[in-house]
Amino acid sequence: MPGPPVSIGAAVVVSPGATGAPDSGAIVAVLPPVITAGGLPLATSGSICVMVNSLTGVPYPLVIGPLGSSGVRVAGRGLVRMGDQIPSPPGLLTVIGPPAAGFVNDTWAP
């Protein structure tokens, strides 16, 4: 899904979640090497999210799966953008946003 890149703090949802119902969370870490836009590090596959189990309220880490932008890569890892749907166990991770930099738009296919 082409769109603007996201950074730390972007909201995400994984469906199904750890116990079946969708879980929500946020991106909390972008691993080096990084690129920045507007002073924010841009998330790539391999970045870490903290998800909150919707049934129990227990937080758990989730690593963003290996997909992302097919054209913009950082050390072989695809850029993560608003609207991306990336397979990340236990389910499909949907990136909600907000964007890190509205003036950047990645138009490459997932």
Short mmCIF file of all heavy atoms in Angstrom, two decimals, residues 1 23 29 48 54-55 85:
data_model
loop_
_atom_site.label_atom_id
_atom_site.label_comp_id
_atom_site.label_asym_id
_atom_site.label_seq_id
_atom_site.Cartn_x
_atom_site.Cartn_y
_atom_site.Cartn_z
N MET A 1 0.85 -1.18 0.00
CA MET A 1 0.00 0.00 0.00
C MET A 1 0.88 1.23 0.00
O MET A 1 1.48 1.55 1.02
CB MET A 1 -0.89 -0.06 1.24
CG MET A 1 -1.78 1.12 1.42
SD MET A 1 -3.15 0.91 0.30
CE MET A 1 -4.00 2.42 0.50
N ASP A 23 -5.56 -7.09 18.40
CA ASP A 23 -4.81 -6.38 19.43
C ASP A 23 -4.28 -5.08 18.84
O ASP A 23 -3.91 -5.03 17.67
CB ASP A 23 -3.64 -7.21 19.94
CG ASP A 23 -4.08 -8.48 20.67
OD1 ASP A 23 -5.23 -8.52 21.14
OD2 ASP A 23 -3.26 -9.40 20.75
N ALA A 29 10.30 1.00 18.71
CA ALA A 29 11.73 0.99 18.43
C ALA A 29 11.98 0.77 16.95
O ALA A 29 11.36 -0.07 16.31
CB ALA A 29 12.42 -0.11 19.23
N ILE A 48 10.18 -2.75 16.18
CA ILE A 48 9.48 -3.43 17.27
C ILE A 48 8.25 -2.63 17.71
O ILE A 48 8.32 -1.42 17.89
CB ILE A 48 10.42 -3.67 18.45
CG1 ILE A 48 11.61 -4.51 17.99
CG2 ILE A 48 9.70 -4.33 19.62
CD1 ILE A 48 12.73 -4.63 18.99
N SER A 54 -6.12 -7.56 23.73
CA SER A 54 -7.44 -6.95 23.92
C SER A 54 -8.31 -7.68 24.95
O SER A 54 -9.25 -7.11 25.47
CB SER A 54 -8.17 -6.85 22.58
OG SER A 54 -8.34 -8.13 22.02
N LEU A 55 -8.00 -8.92 25.24
CA LEU A 55 -8.80 -9.67 26.22
C LEU A 55 -8.22 -9.59 27.63
O LEU A 55 -8.95 -9.48 28.60
CB LEU A 55 -8.93 -11.13 25.80
CG LEU A 55 -9.70 -11.36 24.50
CD1 LEU A 55 -9.76 -12.84 24.16
CD2 LEU A 55 -11.10 -10.79 24.60
N GLN A 85 -0.20 -3.53 5.17
CA GLN A 85 -0.68 -4.72 5.86
C GLN A 85 0.42 -5.77 5.72
O GLN A 85 0.65 -6.27 4.62
CB GLN A 85 -2.00 -5.21 5.28
CG GLN A 85 -3.12 -4.22 5.52
CD GLN A 85 -4.45 -4.73 5.05
OE1 GLN A 85 -4.54 -5.50 4.10
NE2 GLN A 85 -5.50 -4.32 5.72
#
